[in-house]
Amino acid sequence: MLAVMVFVYGLLVGSFLNAWVWRLHTRRKVSKGRSMCPHCKTPLRWYELIPVFSWLVLRGKCRTCHKPISWQYPTVELANAAVWVSLFFYLNPANTLEWVSLLAWLALASLLLAALVYDAKWMLLPDAFMVPAVVVALVIAVVSAVGMGSLSELIARLVAAILFGGIFFLIWFISKGSWIGDGDIWLAAIMGLVLTGVQLVVAVFVAFNLGAIIGLALIAIHKKTRKSMIAFGPFLIIGLFAGFFFGEALLNWYLGIFV
């Protein structure tokens, strides 16, 4: 029953993330005004705002102008719900501290999903997502250290955040922002705060390899050229969750190929 509730709330928050991403880009306050069709600006009624279901009933088109509604909307809603349920089962909270950790991870997952969508569409990781994500990541690091009863664990994560974020800062500084954006620095620091050493190694491996594969594929189908810029944030975020959920398994599998 709890898992079903987590899934439903994940859908609802995913719907909010879609609205937040669009309003942030159009510089509208997320707390004011009704949601509307991005094409004809017609305010949406309550039954048009039911996650996934409304999109399916409307067959992916606006009720008024009949222009297509992006696949982004149900995809983000389902993705957020899926990640929330995965975190619920993976962390399997049994006490107050573990519930705090789960809630922090749910918040971080949604913030990073919103950042992923924004970066993929407009090649920017906004402070509106990244600053609260850093704060939540700090909470996760502290809770993890408290749960382990180890101050050295917290120190290790802070050092990892500084070192990994520092590496990305140097890349940003040397390239004058042409290779990566400043939002990627925040993202690197977040990865250092919330991942163990093994998870971080796997996350970086997945991010760089996935980025290379997607980049080459886009060049092959002539969607990009070798001089085109590609947002790296989405690959780092996917790498973060790959490392978190599958870090040990992926590392053992990879090493097993050579040993």
Side-chain angles (χ1 to χ4, degrees):
M1 184 62 183
L2 274 176
V4 174
M5 292 178 62
V6 171
F7 184 80
V8 171
Y9 277 106
L11 287 176
L12 294 172
V13 172
S15 180
F16 169 77
L17 295 179
N18 279 318
W20 192 7
V21 166
W22 183 70
R23 291 186 180 218
L24 183 65
H25 181 66
T26 55
R27 299 187 178 182
R28 296 181 63 212
K29 289 186 178 181
V30 72
S31 59
K32 289 186 178 181
R34 293 171 58 186
S35 294
M36 63 179 68
C37 171
H39 302 293
C40 64
K41 312 304 180 185
T42 301
L44 302 180
R45 299 182 181 181
W46 68 268
Y47 53 80
E48 297 175 277
L49 298 172
I50 302 172
V52 182
F53 179 78
S54 293
W55 190 89
L56 291 173
V57 170
L58 293 169
R59 298 182 180 180
K61 295 181 180 180
C62 173
R63 173 180 56 86
T64 304
C65 68
H66 306 295
K67 289 187 177 180
I69 302 170
S70 173
W71 277 87
Q72 170 197 317
Y73 293 91
T75 301
V76 170
E77 291 162 356
L78 287 170
N80 193 68
V83 173
W84 275 33
V85 171
S86 299
L87 286 168
F88 174 74
F89 283 114
Y90 185 80
L91 295 174
N92 191 26
N95 56 50
T96 301
L97 194 64
E98 290 175 355
W99 275 103
V100 172
S101 178
L102 173 62
L103 291 174
W105 267 104
L106 296 182
L108 181 64
S110 293
L111 287 166
L112 292 183
L113 179 57
L116 183 155
V117 173
Y118 202 102
D119 199 24
K121 290 173 72 72
W122 299 296
M123 304 223 17
L124 179 68
L125 291 169
D127 289 345
F129 302 139
M130 301 313 298
V131 172
V134 171
V135 174
V136 174
L138 279 169
V139 172
I140 291 172
V142 171
V143 170
S144 178
V146 171
M148 296 176 65
S150 172
L151 180 61
S152 61
E153 174 68 15
L154 177 59
I155 293 173
R157 295 198 178 208
L158 290 172
V159 170
I162 293 170
L163 289 177
F164 197 43
I167 292 171
F168 272 63
F169 172 79
L170 286 176
I171 296 172
W172 173 82
F173 182 78
I174 292 171
S175 68
K176 297 181 180 179
S178 63
W179 295 347
I180 61 171
D182 55 355
D184 294 313
I185 302 171
W186 288 113
L187 187 50
I190 290 169
M191 294 172 73
L193 285 171
V194 302
L195 300 178
T196 65
V198 170
Q199 291 172 340
L200 185 57
V201 169
V202 172
V204 174
F205 180 83
V206 169
F208 277 89
N209 280 278
L210 185 60
I213 292 169
I214 298 297
L216 290 173
L218 290 173
I219 292 172
I221 61 176
H222 305 292
K223 292 290 186 180
K224 297 284 185 180
T225 68
R226 282 184 289 181
K227 294 183 179 180
S228 298
M229 296 289 290
I230 298 176
F232 190 48
F235 303 117
L236 285 173
I237 293 169
I238 293 171
L240 185 157
F241 285 104
F244 180 69
F245 285 119
F246 311 112
E248 294 283 351
L250 285 174
L251 183 62
N252 290 334
W253 169 79
Y254 183 74
L255 294 176
I257 296 175
F258 302 100
V259 178

